[in-house]
Amino acid sequence: MRQPAIPIPSPFQSSIAKPGQGKVVLSLLPPNNPTLTTLTYKYPLKLVPRTGGFVPSPDSSALSDTRPSNPVHLYLLTYGGGLLPGDHIEVSITLEPKTRMVVTTPQGSTKIFKTTPNNTGTAPNVIKGHRDQMPANDHLSDMSQQTLDVNIGRQAALCYLPDPSVPFQHSRYAQVQTFTVDATAKGKERSSVCVLDWVTQGRTSRGEDWNFHFWRGRNEVWAEDDKGKRRLLLRDSVILDDESGDLEDTDESEIENENTAYNTTHTGLENPADMPPQAPAGLTPLNIIAERTRPHGVVGTLILSGPVFEALGSFMLNQFQSQPRIGSRNWSDHAPSSVPEPSISQKGDVTWTAARVRAGFVLVKFGAKDFETAKHWLGGLIREEGSVIREFGEEALCCL
Protein backbone atom coordinates (compact mmCIF):
# COMPACT_ATOMS: atom_id res chain seq x y z
CA MET A 1 0.00 0.00 0.00
CA ARG A 2 1.32 3.41 -0.93
CA GLN A 3 2.33 5.56 2.04
CA PRO A 4 1.46 9.29 2.13
CA ALA A 5 4.37 11.57 1.36
CA ILE A 6 3.63 13.87 4.32
CA PRO A 7 2.59 12.41 7.68
CA ILE A 8 -0.81 13.53 8.88
CA PRO A 9 -0.58 15.38 12.22
CA SER A 10 -2.62 13.96 15.05
CA PRO A 11 -5.79 15.96 15.83
CA PHE A 12 -5.49 14.90 19.48
CA GLN A 13 -2.34 16.75 20.47
CA SER A 14 -2.35 17.56 24.17
CA SER A 15 -1.44 21.23 23.88
CA ILE A 16 0.75 23.57 21.89
CA ALA A 17 1.67 25.45 25.05
CA LYS A 18 4.60 24.61 27.29
CA PRO A 19 4.21 24.28 31.07
CA GLY A 20 3.44 27.66 32.59
CA GLN A 21 2.97 29.36 29.22
CA GLY A 22 -0.17 30.95 27.84
CA LYS A 23 -1.14 32.83 24.70
CA VAL A 24 -4.17 35.03 24.09
CA VAL A 25 -5.21 36.82 20.89
CA LEU A 26 -8.27 39.09 20.95
CA SER A 27 -9.74 39.97 17.55
CA LEU A 28 -12.69 42.07 16.45
CA LEU A 29 -14.92 40.18 14.03
CA PRO A 30 -17.62 41.90 11.92
CA PRO A 31 -19.58 43.84 12.78
CA ASN A 32 -18.28 44.54 16.31
CA ASN A 33 -17.89 41.17 18.01
CA PRO A 34 -14.77 40.78 20.19
CA THR A 35 -13.59 37.17 19.95
CA LEU A 36 -10.70 35.26 21.46
CA THR A 37 -9.25 33.69 18.32
CA THR A 38 -6.43 32.13 20.36
CA LEU A 39 -6.52 30.95 23.96
CA THR A 40 -3.94 28.40 25.10
CA TYR A 41 -2.41 27.73 28.50
CA LYS A 42 -0.88 24.88 30.42
CA TYR A 43 -0.47 23.90 34.07
CA PRO A 44 0.32 25.58 36.43
CA LEU A 45 -1.13 28.58 34.54
CA LYS A 46 -4.83 29.02 33.97
CA LEU A 47 -6.60 31.71 31.91
CA VAL A 48 -10.35 32.17 32.32
CA PRO A 49 -12.15 34.57 29.94
CA ARG A 50 -15.51 36.18 30.50
CA THR A 51 -17.48 38.37 28.11
CA GLY A 52 -21.00 38.68 29.53
CA GLY A 53 -20.42 40.82 32.60
CA PHE A 54 -20.09 44.29 31.06
CA VAL A 55 -23.02 46.59 31.81
CA PRO A 56 -22.47 49.97 30.12
CA SER A 57 -23.70 53.13 31.72
CA PRO A 58 -26.69 54.89 30.08
CA ASP A 59 -24.51 57.58 28.50
CA SER A 60 -22.14 55.05 26.87
CA SER A 61 -24.41 52.16 25.88
CA ALA A 62 -23.90 52.62 22.13
CA LEU A 63 -20.68 51.77 20.32
CA SER A 64 -18.85 54.67 18.70
CA ASP A 65 -15.47 55.66 17.32
CA THR A 66 -14.26 56.34 20.86
CA ARG A 67 -15.54 52.96 22.10
CA PRO A 68 -15.48 50.64 19.07
CA SER A 69 -16.12 47.41 21.01
CA ASN A 70 -17.10 46.00 24.38
CA PRO A 71 -14.30 44.73 26.63
CA VAL A 72 -13.43 41.10 27.29
CA HIS A 73 -12.57 40.15 30.85
CA LEU A 74 -9.62 37.78 31.41
CA TYR A 75 -8.71 36.21 34.76
CA LEU A 76 -5.05 35.29 35.23
CA LEU A 77 -4.47 32.66 37.90
CA THR A 78 -2.47 29.57 38.82
CA TYR A 79 -3.54 26.22 40.21
CA GLY A 80 -3.21 26.16 43.97
CA GLY A 81 -3.86 29.88 44.41
CA GLY A 82 -0.36 31.26 44.08
CA LEU A 83 3.17 30.77 42.80
CA LEU A 84 5.27 27.98 44.23
CA PRO A 85 9.09 28.00 44.21
CA GLY A 86 10.38 27.34 40.72
CA ASP A 87 7.15 28.29 38.92
CA HIS A 88 7.83 30.19 35.70
CA ILE A 89 4.74 31.86 34.23
CA GLU A 90 4.88 33.34 30.73
CA VAL A 91 1.78 35.00 29.27
CA SER A 92 1.55 36.59 25.83
CA ILE A 93 -1.48 38.75 24.99
CA THR A 94 -2.22 40.38 21.64
CA LEU A 95 -4.97 42.98 21.34
CA GLU A 96 -5.76 43.58 17.70
CA PRO A 97 -6.97 47.03 16.58
CA LYS A 98 -10.14 48.38 18.21
CA THR A 99 -10.32 45.68 20.89
CA ARG A 100 -10.43 46.11 24.65
CA MET A 101 -9.47 43.79 27.47
CA VAL A 102 -9.66 43.83 31.26
CA VAL A 103 -7.09 41.64 33.02
CA THR A 104 -7.55 40.91 36.72
CA THR A 105 -6.68 38.20 39.22
CA PRO A 106 -9.02 36.22 41.49
CA GLN A 107 -8.64 36.77 45.21
CA GLY A 108 -5.69 34.89 46.67
CA SER A 109 -4.04 34.03 43.34
CA THR A 110 -1.14 36.47 43.78
CA LYS A 111 0.42 34.72 46.77
CA ILE A 112 4.12 33.90 46.50
CA PHE A 113 5.05 30.92 48.62
CA LYS A 114 8.31 30.73 50.53
CA THR A 115 11.47 29.19 49.15
CA THR A 116 13.07 26.68 51.53
CA PRO A 117 15.64 24.57 49.69
CA ASN A 118 16.90 21.39 51.35
CA ASN A 119 20.20 20.45 49.74
CA THR A 120 21.84 17.25 50.93
CA GLY A 121 25.06 16.59 49.06
CA THR A 122 24.41 15.53 45.49
CA ALA A 123 20.71 14.83 46.07
CA PRO A 124 18.16 16.74 44.00
CA ASN A 125 17.16 20.14 45.26
CA VAL A 126 13.84 19.32 46.94
CA ILE A 127 11.82 22.43 47.71
CA LYS A 128 8.96 22.35 50.15
CA GLY A 129 5.69 22.89 48.31
CA HIS A 130 7.31 22.66 44.88
CA ARG A 131 5.40 20.92 42.12
CA ASP A 132 8.39 18.81 41.12
CA GLN A 133 12.00 18.11 42.00
CA MET A 134 14.66 20.43 40.64
CA PRO A 135 18.33 19.66 39.99
CA ALA A 136 20.89 21.32 42.23
CA ASN A 137 21.50 24.80 40.83
CA ASP A 138 22.17 28.38 41.80
CA HIS A 139 19.92 29.99 44.39
CA LEU A 140 18.00 31.88 41.69
CA SER A 141 16.76 28.66 40.08
CA ASP A 142 14.17 28.10 42.80
CA MET A 143 12.55 31.54 42.75
CA SER A 144 9.13 32.27 41.28
CA GLN A 145 9.07 34.20 38.01
CA GLN A 146 6.36 35.76 35.89
CA THR A 147 6.62 37.35 32.46
CA LEU A 148 3.78 39.26 30.80
CA ASP A 149 4.10 40.44 27.19
CA VAL A 150 1.19 42.47 25.78
CA ASN A 151 0.92 43.88 22.25
CA ILE A 152 -1.72 46.61 21.98
CA GLY A 153 -2.90 47.56 18.51
CA ARG A 154 -4.30 50.79 17.11
CA GLN A 155 -7.31 52.09 19.10
CA ALA A 156 -7.03 49.07 21.42
CA ALA A 157 -7.05 49.45 25.21
CA LEU A 158 -5.78 47.37 28.12
CA CYS A 159 -7.02 47.80 31.69
CA TYR A 160 -4.79 45.74 34.00
CA LEU A 161 -5.84 46.17 37.65
CA PRO A 162 -4.81 43.00 39.53
CA ASP A 163 -4.60 42.18 43.21
CA PRO A 164 -1.29 43.08 44.88
CA SER A 165 1.50 40.56 45.17
CA VAL A 166 1.69 38.93 48.59
CA PRO A 167 5.22 37.54 49.07
CA PHE A 168 5.46 35.13 51.98
CA GLN A 169 8.39 35.03 54.35
CA HIS A 170 11.65 33.74 52.76
CA SER A 171 10.18 33.97 49.24
CA ARG A 172 11.97 35.06 46.06
CA TYR A 173 10.11 36.56 43.12
CA ALA A 174 10.88 38.43 39.90
CA GLN A 175 8.53 39.71 37.22
CA VAL A 176 8.89 41.53 33.91
CA GLN A 177 5.86 43.13 32.26
CA THR A 178 6.32 44.46 28.73
CA PHE A 179 3.68 46.45 26.84
CA THR A 180 4.10 47.27 23.15
CA VAL A 181 1.98 49.97 21.50
CA ASP A 182 1.55 51.04 17.88
CA ALA A 183 4.11 53.73 17.07
CA THR A 184 2.35 54.81 13.86
CA ALA A 185 -0.98 55.70 15.52
CA LYS A 186 -1.65 59.36 16.26
CA GLY A 187 -4.23 61.28 18.25
CA LYS A 188 -7.37 59.35 19.19
CA GLU A 189 -6.12 56.24 17.39
CA ARG A 190 -3.26 55.65 19.84
CA SER A 191 -3.10 52.56 22.02
CA SER A 192 -4.25 52.95 25.63
CA VAL A 193 -2.69 51.35 28.70
CA CYS A 194 -3.66 51.28 32.37
CA VAL A 195 -1.35 49.15 34.54
CA LEU A 196 -1.36 48.75 38.31
CA ASP A 197 1.63 47.06 39.95
CA TRP A 198 1.70 46.85 43.75
CA VAL A 199 3.10 44.64 46.50
CA THR A 200 2.25 44.16 50.18
CA GLN A 201 4.43 43.44 53.19
CA GLY A 202 3.18 39.84 53.42
CA ARG A 203 0.77 38.09 55.76
CA THR A 204 0.28 40.56 58.58
CA SER A 205 -1.93 38.05 60.43
CA ARG A 206 1.18 35.89 60.85
CA GLY A 207 3.42 38.76 61.83
CA GLU A 208 5.19 39.10 58.46
CA ASP A 209 6.63 42.54 57.76
CA TRP A 210 8.66 42.63 54.54
CA ASN A 211 10.41 39.37 55.55
CA PHE A 212 10.92 37.97 52.04
CA HIS A 213 14.34 37.67 50.41
CA PHE A 214 13.58 39.79 47.36
CA TRP A 215 10.78 41.04 45.13
CA ARG A 216 11.78 42.55 41.79
CA GLY A 217 9.37 44.06 39.30
CA ARG A 218 9.99 45.85 36.01
CA ASN A 219 7.43 47.49 33.72
CA GLU A 220 8.38 48.57 30.22
CA VAL A 221 6.36 50.27 27.48
CA TRP A 222 7.72 50.10 23.93
CA ALA A 223 6.55 51.64 20.66
CA GLU A 224 6.92 49.53 17.51
CA ASP A 225 6.34 50.64 13.92
CA ASP A 226 5.38 48.64 10.82
CA LYS A 227 9.02 47.77 10.11
CA GLY A 228 9.55 46.26 13.55
CA LYS A 229 11.69 49.11 14.85
CA ARG A 230 11.21 49.48 18.61
CA ARG A 231 11.65 52.50 20.85
CA LEU A 232 11.53 52.51 24.65
CA LEU A 233 8.93 54.94 26.04
CA LEU A 234 8.88 54.09 29.73
CA ARG A 235 10.73 51.83 32.14
CA ASP A 236 9.82 51.57 35.81
CA SER A 237 11.59 49.21 38.21
CA VAL A 238 11.02 48.33 41.85
CA ILE A 239 13.64 46.29 43.71
CA LEU A 240 12.99 45.14 47.27
CA ASP A 241 16.01 43.11 48.34
CA ASP A 242 17.17 42.17 51.83
CA GLU A 243 20.72 41.98 50.42
CA SER A 244 21.33 38.73 52.24
CA GLY A 245 22.61 37.01 49.10
CA ASP A 246 22.48 33.27 49.45
CA LEU A 247 23.90 32.82 52.91
CA GLU A 248 21.58 29.95 53.72
CA ASP A 249 23.10 27.90 50.89
CA THR A 250 26.71 28.66 51.79
CA ASP A 251 28.75 26.04 53.60
CA GLU A 252 30.01 26.89 57.07
CA SER A 253 33.57 26.20 55.93
CA GLU A 254 33.26 28.84 53.20
CA ILE A 255 31.97 31.37 55.72
CA GLU A 256 34.91 30.64 58.04
CA ASN A 257 37.39 31.01 55.18
CA GLU A 258 35.87 34.33 54.16
CA ASN A 259 35.97 35.61 57.74
CA THR A 260 39.61 34.54 58.11
CA ALA A 261 40.60 36.26 54.89
CA TYR A 262 38.74 39.39 55.91
CA ASN A 263 40.39 39.54 59.35
CA THR A 264 43.87 39.20 57.87
CA THR A 265 43.28 41.94 55.32
CA HIS A 266 41.44 44.56 57.36
CA THR A 267 42.00 46.05 60.79
CA GLY A 268 38.53 45.22 62.09
CA LEU A 269 37.39 48.84 62.08
CA GLU A 270 36.25 48.76 58.45
CA ASN A 271 33.21 47.24 56.79
CA PRO A 272 33.03 45.99 53.18
CA ALA A 273 31.14 48.43 50.97
CA ASP A 274 28.97 45.69 49.49
CA MET A 275 27.82 44.25 52.84
CA PRO A 276 24.42 45.23 54.29
CA PRO A 277 24.40 47.05 57.63
CA GLN A 278 24.65 44.68 60.59
CA ALA A 279 22.82 44.99 63.89
CA PRO A 280 24.87 45.38 67.08
CA ALA A 281 25.72 42.21 68.98
CA GLY A 282 22.79 40.81 70.93
CA LEU A 283 20.15 42.68 68.92
CA THR A 284 17.78 41.45 66.24
CA PRO A 285 19.25 41.74 62.70
CA LEU A 286 18.01 44.68 60.71
CA ASN A 287 15.18 44.17 58.23
CA ILE A 288 16.53 46.24 55.36
CA ILE A 289 13.34 46.14 53.29
CA ALA A 290 11.18 47.19 56.25
CA GLU A 291 13.56 50.02 57.08
CA ARG A 292 13.43 51.35 53.53
CA THR A 293 9.64 51.11 53.17
CA ARG A 294 8.71 52.26 56.67
CA PRO A 295 5.99 53.15 57.61
CA HIS A 296 4.24 51.66 54.59
CA GLY A 297 2.79 48.17 54.33
CA VAL A 298 1.93 48.54 50.64
CA VAL A 299 3.82 50.24 47.81
CA GLY A 300 2.68 50.47 44.22
CA THR A 301 2.77 52.13 40.81
CA LEU A 302 -0.02 53.15 38.45
CA ILE A 303 0.83 53.77 34.78
CA LEU A 304 -1.65 55.58 32.50
CA SER A 305 -1.34 56.33 28.79
CA GLY A 306 -3.52 56.81 25.73
CA PRO A 307 -6.80 58.58 24.89
CA VAL A 308 -9.00 56.16 26.85
CA PHE A 309 -7.21 56.97 30.12
CA GLU A 310 -6.37 60.61 29.39
CA ALA A 311 -9.22 61.84 31.60
CA LEU A 312 -8.14 59.61 34.48
CA GLY A 313 -4.53 60.77 34.16
CA SER A 314 -5.54 64.43 34.23
CA PHE A 315 -7.79 63.76 37.22
CA MET A 316 -4.94 62.17 39.18
CA LEU A 317 -2.67 65.12 38.41
CA ASN A 318 -5.32 67.62 39.50
CA GLN A 319 -5.93 65.71 42.72
CA PHE A 320 -2.23 65.70 43.51
CA GLN A 321 -1.86 69.41 42.76
CA SER A 322 -4.79 70.16 45.08
CA GLN A 323 -3.03 68.57 48.05
CA PRO A 324 -2.39 71.03 50.91
CA ARG A 325 1.07 72.56 50.84
CA ILE A 326 3.14 74.05 53.63
CA GLY A 327 2.25 77.72 53.98
CA SER A 328 -0.87 77.48 51.84
CA ARG A 329 -3.31 78.13 54.71
CA ASN A 330 -4.01 81.64 55.98
CA TRP A 331 -3.86 81.60 59.79
CA SER A 332 -4.85 85.26 60.27
CA ASP A 333 -7.94 86.30 62.21
CA HIS A 334 -9.67 87.44 59.02
CA ALA A 335 -9.42 84.03 57.36
CA PRO A 336 -12.69 82.08 57.06
CA SER A 337 -13.15 79.52 59.83
CA SER A 338 -14.88 76.95 57.68
CA VAL A 339 -12.56 74.42 56.06
CA PRO A 340 -13.83 72.44 53.05
CA GLU A 341 -14.19 68.72 53.53
CA PRO A 342 -11.10 66.88 52.26
CA SER A 343 -11.44 64.81 49.11
CA ILE A 344 -10.69 61.11 48.83
CA SER A 345 -7.12 61.88 47.79
CA GLN A 346 -6.56 63.66 51.13
CA LYS A 347 -8.14 60.95 53.28
CA GLY A 348 -6.36 57.94 54.68
CA ASP A 349 -2.76 57.32 55.60
CA VAL A 350 -1.40 57.38 52.03
CA THR A 351 1.77 59.00 50.70
CA TRP A 352 1.69 59.50 46.96
CA THR A 353 2.92 61.51 44.02
CA ALA A 354 1.84 61.92 40.39
CA ALA A 355 3.66 63.34 37.39
CA ARG A 356 3.40 63.47 33.62
CA VAL A 357 6.58 62.00 32.15
CA ARG A 358 7.94 61.18 28.72
CA ALA A 359 5.55 60.49 25.81
CA GLY A 360 2.56 61.77 27.79
CA PHE A 361 2.55 58.98 30.38
CA VAL A 362 1.09 59.70 33.81
CA LEU A 363 3.00 57.91 36.56
CA VAL A 364 1.51 57.58 40.05
CA LYS A 365 3.59 56.26 42.96
CA PHE A 366 1.96 55.53 46.29
CA GLY A 367 2.53 53.93 49.67
CA ALA A 368 -0.04 53.11 52.35
CA LYS A 369 0.01 51.67 55.84
CA ASP A 370 -1.95 48.55 54.80
CA PHE A 371 -3.78 46.93 51.90
CA GLU A 372 -7.27 48.09 52.87
CA THR A 373 -6.15 51.71 53.06
CA ALA A 374 -4.53 51.58 49.62
CA LYS A 375 -7.50 49.73 48.13
CA HIS A 376 -10.03 52.23 49.47
CA TRP A 377 -7.92 55.23 48.43
CA LEU A 378 -7.10 54.14 44.87
CA GLY A 379 -10.48 52.54 44.20
CA GLY A 380 -12.23 55.64 45.50
CA LEU A 381 -10.27 57.95 43.19
CA ILE A 382 -10.90 55.80 40.10
CA ARG A 383 -14.62 55.50 40.90
CA GLU A 384 -14.90 59.23 41.57
CA GLU A 385 -13.43 60.03 38.15
CA GLY A 386 -15.72 57.45 36.52
CA SER A 387 -14.18 56.88 33.06
CA VAL A 388 -12.92 53.34 33.79
CA ILE A 389 -16.39 52.19 34.86
CA ARG A 390 -17.98 53.83 31.82
CA GLU A 391 -15.54 52.26 29.38
CA PHE A 392 -14.87 48.85 30.97
CA GLY A 393 -17.66 48.23 33.48
CA GLU A 394 -17.66 47.77 37.24
CA GLU A 395 -15.93 44.39 36.95
CA ALA A 396 -12.72 46.15 35.97
CA LEU A 397 -12.49 47.34 39.59
CA CYS A 398 -13.24 43.99 41.22
CA CYS A 399 -9.78 44.04 42.87
CA LEU A 400 -10.34 47.58 44.17
Side-chain angles (χ1 to χ4, degrees), residues 242-274:
D242 64 359
E243 300 181 6
S244 63
D246 197 34
L247 297 179
E248 65 273 11
D249 296 336
T250 306
D251 296 334
E252 295 182 0
S253 59
E254 295 179 359
I255 297 178
E256 293 178 358
N257 293 336
E258 291 178 0
N259 292 337
T260 303
Y262 172 74
N263 292 333
T264 58
T265 305
H266 299 272
T267 62
L269 301 177
E270 302 171 357
N271 289 325
D274 57 347

Side-chain angles (χ1 to χ4, degrees), residues 359-381:
F361 284 85
V362 173
L363 195 64
V364 180
K365 292 280 188 176
F366 62 90
K369 63 178 181 178
D370 53 35
F371 165 67
E372 290 298 330
T373 301
K375 176 181 177 180
H376 175 74
W377 171 80
L378 184 58
L381 285 176

